[in-house]
Amino acid sequence: MPDFVPIRITGIIVELVSRPRNDGGLDSGLYDVPLQLSAKPATEWARLFVQTWNQFSAAASSYRRVICEVVGDRVWLRGTTIEQIDETCKETLKLALADANQGFADYIVRTNAEGERLRKEQETYEQHIREAAK
């Protein structure tokens, strides 16, 4: 597996920000905000990011829960505002990025170690078969 380059958020994709309903209903002033990532993350990275987001956003009592989703090379924050991202979500985003990047780097190390162990196991088995077949 190639070296992992930590993923960053490069900014808000302004042209894809959805419009609020503004129908007077509950949460009608909220909308979806896409954040551009520096690269398309692996599935495991995306899982770690959302898991950390959910853990920390649920613990923060200063704002209602914003739904986070990683799709392709974007993080979508569903049911929020630009102001809310700046005021209350920014720190959770930083934590989720750091946790996903570290967790994914650890995952790569574990995966590589397991692959090497399996390769050696296979090599030993094949050597045993060759010697037994003589």
Side-chain angles (χ1 to χ4, degrees), residues 8-14 33-38 75:
R8 299 173 291 105
I9 293 175
T10 61
I12 294 171
I13 308 170
V14 175
V33 179
L35 306 171
Q36 183 66 55
L37 297 174
S38 58
V75 170

Side-chain angles (χ1 to χ4, degrees), residues 14-93:
V14 175
E15 60 275 9
L16 295 181
V17 172
S18 70
R19 295 189 50 87
R21 292 187 325 263
N22 289 329
D23 60 5
L26 186 63
D27 297 336
S28 71
L30 303 177
Y31 43 89
D32 298 342
V33 179
L35 306 171
Q36 183 66 55
L37 297 174
S38 58
K40 182 181 177 188
T43 302
E44 180 65 13
W45 186 97
R47 185 192 66 73
L48 289 166
F49 184 91
V50 171
Q51 177 182 330
T52 302
W53 171 270
N54 288 338
Q55 175 187 346
F56 285 103
S57 68
S61 61
S62 63
Y63 66 100
R64 56 164 217 81
R65 192 151 185 233
V66 175
I67 297 170
C68 175
E69 181 180 20
V70 178
V71 179
D73 62 351
R74 297 176 182 147
V75 170
W76 283 87
L77 298 181
R78 311 242 186 233
T80 190
T81 66
I82 296 287
E83 294 79 15
Q84 189 178 35
I85 290 171
D86 187 48
E87 295 166 6
T88 59
C89 298
K90 192 185 316 184
E91 291 306 312
T92 303
L93 286 167

Side-chain angles (χ1 to χ4, degrees), residues 98-118:
D99 193 61
N101 283 328
Q102 183 60 55
F104 189 68
D106 294 345
Y107 170 80
I108 289 172
V109 169
R110 285 191 313 273
T111 301
N112 287 344
E114 178 64 9
E116 181 63 19
R117 185 191 67 74
L118 291 173

